[in-house]
Amino acid sequence: MKWALRVFAFLDFFSFVLMFEQGFDQLQSFFQNQTFTINEIFARFLFLLLWLSLLFSAIFLAIPKKAGIIIYFFQVLPRIIFLVFSVGFISYISHYVAINNLDQILIPIFIFIEMLRLYFSYNIKKELF
């Protein structure tokens, strides 16, 4: 079971790295003189929380600690809102393969895989902790 947590940690860290530019841009937007609506502020703040929590969940899952799984449980809804899936990096194949609507095919598969990860994380939490 600990190997599964380490795989999840790698996937979270990989997602953090792939989202680095977006996260840094969101962080910079708070320090610029721009006016935002309350919804934009909330969305940017939620995205930043998700982005930073990916790093912390990767660290805690690699150790493995119960806190990593708990952080992941809080990440599930923002992951679906912002389409930040554990295996979302697979969507980069749409840049190289010319299949129409490949992203529309992959998104339900990614959501299913994310729900499988949630199920496995819950079972691991019950078994190990």
Side-chain angles (χ1 to χ4, degrees), residues 54-118:
L54 284 171
L55 180 63
F56 289 112
S57 68
I59 292 169
F60 286 127
L61 287 172
I63 294 176
K65 294 283 185 181
K66 184 178 179 179
I69 294 176
I70 292 171
I71 291 171
Y72 172 71
F73 290 155
F74 284 107
Q75 288 175 351
V76 172
L77 186 60
R79 279 179 181 255
I80 293 172
I81 291 171
F82 293 114
L83 300 177
V84 179
F85 301 116
S86 299
V87 292
F89 61 89
I90 297 173
S91 66
Y92 283 113
I93 64 171
S94 66
H95 295 289
Y96 304 108
V97 178
I99 298 175
N100 290 337
N101 302 324
L102 183 61
D103 289 335
Q104 291 178 354
I105 296 168
L106 291 176
I107 294 294
I109 295 169
F110 294 158
I111 291 173
F112 178 74
I113 292 171
E114 199 67 38
M115 293 302 114
L116 281 178
R117 179 180 171 181
L118 181 65

Side-chain angles (χ1 to χ4, degrees), residues 19-81:
M19 293 174 46
F20 187 81
E21 185 178 347
Q22 293 171 331
F24 191 70
D25 289 343
Q26 295 293 332
L27 186 62
Q28 281 184 331
S29 71
F30 281 116
F31 300 110
Q32 295 173 349
N33 286 335
Q34 296 179 5
T35 56
F36 298 116
T37 65
I38 192 70
N39 291 337
E40 290 173 333
I41 292 172
F42 178 73
R44 289 170 191 257
F45 183 71
L46 186 63
F47 184 85
L48 279 174
L49 278 177
L50 173 63
W51 180 60
L52 292 174
S53 71
L54 284 171
L55 180 63
F56 289 112
S57 68
I59 292 169
F60 286 127
L61 287 172
I63 294 176
K65 294 283 185 181
K66 184 178 179 179
I69 294 176
I70 292 171
I71 291 171
Y72 172 71
F73 290 155
F74 284 107
Q75 288 175 351
V76 172
L77 186 60
R79 279 179 181 255
I80 293 172
I81 291 171

